[in-house]
Amino acid sequence: MRLPCHVQAMLVSNRESRSMQFHLNGFRAGDPAIAPPREAAPVLVDAVRAVDVLIVGCGPAGLTLAAQLAHFPEITTAIVEQKAGPLMIGQADGIACRSVEMFEAFGFSERVLKEACWVNETAFWNPDSARPEIIVRSRRIQDTEDDLSEMPHVILNQARVHDFFLEVMANSPTRLAPEYSRRLLGLDIAVGEDVESTSGYPVTARLARLDDAQPGAVETLKARYVVGCDGARSSVREALGGVLHGDSANQAWGVMDVLAVSDFPDLRLKTVVHSATQGNVLIIPREGGYMVRMYIELDKLDAHERIASRKLDAAHLIAAAQRILHPYTLDVRQVAWWSVYEIGQRLCDRFDSASSMRGHALHPRGFIVGDACHTHSPKAGQGMNVSMGDSFNLGWKLAAVLLGRCAPEVLLSYSDERRAVAQELIDFDREFARMFSARPAQAASTDHETVEPAAFQQYFIKHGRFTAGTAVHYAPSPITAASAHQALARDLTVGMRFHSAPVIRVADARPLQLGHVMKADGRWRLVLFADGAAPDATHSAMHALCAYLHDSAHSPVRLYTPPAADIDAVIDVRAVYQQAHRDIALEHLPALLLPHKGRLGLCDYEKVFCVDHKRGHDIFALRGIDRRQGCMVVVRPDQYVAQVLPLHAHGELAAFFAGFMRRGGV
């Protein structure tokens, strides 16, 4: 039996463990994941503490952003949270394939995969055609299509995701840690000529201390940028003048995590149950092997009615689940967590302060992320995932601007790109929620909206890539080119995330996922897929490109790398050859691919890869790479393909980076 591609890839990934580079600047004992701490004195502006970025909110969006910025010792960040401490039990649980890919960039995907529950199949249950008062299984499908991602769809408590991000922050050069028990009281952002009087820190925030150490005290903090990751009732959004637009579906739902005994056979599968008259339930198996989450349809709400007026409790949710699962039994032994909520899809006009700057230069200083700018139902499992995607999109852009590597205008792309994603999410969520709440057509009475079970199942399958997080497609912009040369790499679509595939690292014959070299370190990647010439052929297009990148005064690698930095500090060049690793002589490859780096001038042997012939994984075939011509693929710091170019297109490559990069950055 041939295993699905993503399962094969995961087995390879588990064998390879996590690839790390250290000792670059001399031998260092201890845990290599813990970076040496930076030495930096606090910055004061008019006797007030000042930071580069103030993050408000310690949810998944805020922690993703904080973990990204913590990587840069040159950037000072403060993250504040109204709660008294870290989250202990989470609300969200579904982690999309794309999010696990992102976790790999932060270095903790293996820990997530070891601890999480893997979602492998989805079951659908509907009323029995002969006896509609009982439910029967109508279909089981593979949850994620083959080769959609090397990572699976998994379930894990949101609080554990927080723990992993907090650990990344604690181990970073900045040793960043949240400041709890701080409530935002006020936020001012200077614009226009007023910015000149702020010493480069136009954001002023006032924070109330809620802890016992200084109860009632008010702290003032200045910042270059502020990011609101503070949820649907965002104080930052309100301060920026943003408004969530949209409607509630007037539908009440409950959710509970339970330890239960049941004769329902699909309790350990992701399962959608549509009953004839008792409502619907979505079953999600949780990590640990025993706990199960249930999303339970409750009653319709009257116009302008709030769910709090129903005074629902866990007993109501259990009783509803028992009715829906009839004739199967559900004996709930413990409720670990429960909540009730209303479905609603709402979206903010913009995700930054540009719209409120009253005609001044469009250089946004305030941003909103996650639930602060878009809300939706939780059943499609996209809330946490899209929120983290927002932050991953914004984080590298803030870092690039603060380090002087990119023009400030690049920050405008955050709202443009992520609002389009949020709108697509809301459109999907609205239809998904409608179809989920509808009664099965063959068993429903005329006073309810109906849906054909087969139609719902097809909709579920059709949008599998969307729920996996792999369908995001950014429109052309200064940082994402048009796809004029897409035919050179058919399945590495410009504007979509770089789709990883297995390769062999030439220097040590190690099987790896190519996408796993792309860490959350703010660097651009330039992946060179070699033409059909021999690796040591000095006349090849591959050799010519490497010589241009290494030596030319017009090379973006040379132009945008600071004089004292390693050659790959800003643009990390990697090469993939078609030949087997034993047929490639490292000593005959271009110098660019064996750079000498660090204080000791050590050679980096981890830039060169080739096709995994032994295991039958041909990345050129898997990703539609033109074997005769080869190509170069430009990958953004958030792992999205920015450009596909022929190997000889030196001028086009230079022009692309010239559109947004700055020389002389850190």
Side-chain angles (χ1 to χ4, degrees):
M1 181 182 73
R2 183 173 174 84
L3 294 172
C5 293
H6 76 278
V7 176
Q8 295 183 56
M10 274 312 307
L11 292 175
V12 172
S13 179
N14 288 338
R15 288 196 302 269
E16 76 187 42
S17 188
R18 176 166 160 75
S19 180
M20 299 180 67
Q21 285 187 305
F22 44 94
H23 304 321
L24 176 62
N25 292 304
F27 174 78
R28 186 165 63 88
D31 187 347
I34 303 175
R38 72 174 180 196
E39 297 181 4
V43 176
L44 299 178
V45 175
D46 298 327
V48 174
R49 178 187 168 202
V51 297
D52 293 313
V53 182
L54 168 62
I55 303 169
V56 182
C58 262
L63 292 174
T64 303
L65 181 60
Q68 171 82 101
L69 295 175
H71 175 83
F72 303 95
E74 307 88 349
I75 296 173
T76 56
T77 304
I79 177 168
V80 299
E81 166 60 50
Q82 184 169 322
K83 295 183 178 66
L87 188 69
M88 300 306 294
I89 182 169
Q91 294 84 19
D93 62 350
I95 301 175
C97 304
R98 173 61 195 143
S99 294
V100 186
E101 294 175 4
M102 186 185 71
F103 293 165
E104 171 62 27
F106 283 97
F108 58 82
S109 66
E110 288 186 5
R111 297 172 66 187
V112 168
L113 294 177
K114 184 177 181 179
E115 189 172 324
C117 174
W118 291 33
V119 180
N120 302 305
E121 291 194 339
T122 298
F124 296 90
W125 288 68
N126 296 104
D128 184 20
S129 57
R131 298 176 58 197
E133 69 274 13
I134 67 172
I135 56 172
V136 294
R137 186 193 299 119
S138 59
R139 194 175 185 183
R140 279 175 65 163
I141 64 171
Q142 185 173 308
D143 184 77
T144 304
E145 66 183 88
D146 291 344
D147 198 34
L148 185 62
S149 173
E150 77 277 16
M151 299 300 190
H153 172 200
V154 300
I155 305 297
L156 186 64
N157 188 330
Q158 175 186 332
R160 293 294 292 139
V161 176
H162 288 202
D163 291 342
F164 295 133
F165 276 124
L166 288 167
E167 186 173 322
V168 171
M169 294 157 55
N171 292 339
S172 73
T174 63
R175 301 294 194 265
L176 181 59
E179 299 174 45
Y180 296 106
S181 300
R182 268 83 168 170
R183 184 178 72 248
L184 184 66
L185 294 177
L187 187 67
D188 295 309
I189 302 178
V191 297
E193 296 178 355
D194 295 336
V195 175
E196 300 298 324
S197 63
T198 65
S199 302
Y201 295 87
V203 177
T204 302
R206 293 185 300 111
L207 304 164
R209 293 285 297 265
L210 307 178
D211 56 325
D212 295 334
Q214 299 184 47
V218 176
E219 297 175 338
T220 299
L221 193 65
K222 291 187 176 292
R224 300 188 192 275
Y225 300 95
V226 61
V227 185
C229 308
D230 48 345
R233 297 180 175 86
S234 171
S235 298
V236 176
R237 182 188 67 238
E238 182 179 358
L240 299 182
V243 178
L244 287 173
H245 301 285
D247 299 312
S248 171
N250 295 322
Q251 176 65 59
W253 283 79
V255 57
M256 61 180 182
D257 290 330
V258 299
L259 297 169
V261 176
S262 176
D263 57 355
F264 182 71
D266 289 348
L267 207 63
R268 296 308 298 175
L269 292 176
K270 180 180 176 180
T271 303
V272 180
V273 181
H274 277 130
S275 74
T277 60
Q278 299 301 318
N280 311 310
V281 62
L282 172 64
I283 299 172
I284 305 290
R286 296 298 303 268
E287 66 277 15
Y290 297 100
M291 191 160 64
V292 172
R293 170 164 291 190
M294 294 185 172
Y295 291 97
I296 305 157
E297 182 183 17
L298 302 173
D299 298 327
K300 279 278 189 181
L301 299 174
D302 297 329
H304 309 297
E305 183 187 9
R306 303 307 303 264
I307 196 170
S309 66
R310 297 292 179 96
K311 297 183 171 47
L312 301 172
D313 57 19
H316 287 89
L317 305 189
I318 294 169
Q322 291 169 335
R323 292 193 299 270
I324 295 168
L325 292 178
H326 177 76
Y328 298 98
T329 61
L330 179 70
D331 180 10
V332 176
R333 304 293 175 85
Q334 184 180 0
V335 179
W337 173 80
W338 70 275
S339 182
V340 293
Y341 63 93
E342 305 162 49
I343 291 177
Q345 295 89 13
R346 298 179 177 87
L347 183 65
C348 209
D349 291 331
R350 277 198 69 84
F351 294 1
D352 60 29
S353 60
S355 61
S356 61
M357 298 186 71
R358 301 183 296 278
H360 297 287
L362 292 180
H363 177 186
R365 296 287 186 163
F367 305 86
I368 47 177
V369 174
D371 287 353
C373 46
H374 49 79
T375 65
H376 31 80
S377 73
K379 291 188 298 300
Q382 290 301 290
M384 178 171 64
N385 295 285
V386 176
S387 295
M388 293 187 297
D390 290 347
S391 293
F392 202 30
N393 181 290
L394 177 61
W396 73 265
K397 297 172 183 177
L398 280 171
V401 171
L402 286 165
L403 296 174
R405 297 175 182 176
C406 286
E409 289 73 23
V410 78
L411 295 172
L412 292 168
S413 67
Y414 163 69
S415 181
D416 294 339
E417 291 182 339
R418 296 306 296 181
R419 192 183 185 283
V421 171
Q423 182 65 67
E424 187 177 4
L425 166 63
I426 282 174
D427 293 342
F428 164 77
D429 184 62
R430 184 178 289 112
E431 181 64 10
F432 185 80
R434 184 194 67 79
M435 296 180 77
F436 198 103
S437 296
R439 297 285 190 265
Q442 74 271 26
S445 59
T446 57
D447 61 338
H448 285 89
E449 185 177 9
T450 63
V451 63
E452 290 289 343
F456 176 74
Q457 292 166 22
Q458 282 303 120
Y459 186 83
F460 184 94
I461 296 168
K462 177 183 177 183
H463 289 84
R465 294 191 174 192
F466 188 81
T467 55
T470 61
V472 173
H473 195 165
Y474 295 137
S477 71
I479 59 173
T480 303
S483 54
H485 304 285
Q486 187 66 73
L488 296 174
R490 295 189 308 275
D491 297 321
L492 293 176
T493 306
V494 176
M496 301 187 75
R497 94 348 177 157
F498 182 90
H499 191 178
S500 183
V503 291
I504 296 292
R505 191 165 62 200
V506 172
D508 58 0
R510 184 171 181 174
L512 294 164
Q513 281 283 340
L514 183 59
H516 295 185
V517 306
M518 302 179 185
K519 302 305 180 185
D521 55 15
R523 292 189 291 172
W524 287 79
R525 265 77 193 188
L526 183 57
V527 185
L528 312 182
F529 290 94
D531 54 358
D536 58 355
T538 57
H539 62 276
S540 68
M542 184 74 159
H543 260 260
L545 175 58
C546 288
Y548 163 76
L549 293 171
H550 189 267
D551 299 322
S552 173
H554 304 291
S555 161
V557 173
R558 288 295 182 191
L559 282 172
Y560 305 115
T561 302
D566 291 331
I567 193 170
D568 61 355
V570 178
I571 302 174
D572 177 21
V573 181
R574 309 278 177 146
V576 185
Y577 286 92
Q578 301 182 38
Q579 293 79 7
H581 66 278
R582 292 176 182 172
D583 298 327
I584 301 171
L586 283 175
E587 66 270 24
H588 295 153
L589 296 182
L592 177 73
L593 304 180
L594 294 163
H596 289 267
K597 299 161 46 181
R599 180 174 59 87
L600 303 178
L602 302 181
C603 182
D604 187 344
Y605 291 98
E606 300 190 0
K607 302 292 190 183
V608 185
F609 306 86
C610 68
V611 170
D612 188 350
H613 292 282
K614 182 178 180 179
R615 296 166 184 81
H617 301 306
D618 186 341
I619 189 172
F620 283 77
L622 288 170
R623 302 297 170 251
I625 309 296
D626 189 303
R627 292 188 181 277
R628 184 180 64 85
Q629 300 183 67
C631 67
M632 51 178 157
V633 178
V634 183
V635 186
R636 300 177 359 169
D638 56 358
Q639 303 174 327
Y640 282 80
V641 177
Q643 178 73 290
V644 173
L645 289 169
L647 293 176
H648 59 74
H650 305 173
E652 287 186 68
L653 179 68
F656 171 73
F657 280 105
F660 57 89
M661 294 290 283
R662 283 185 168 178
R663 301 176 63 177
V666 177

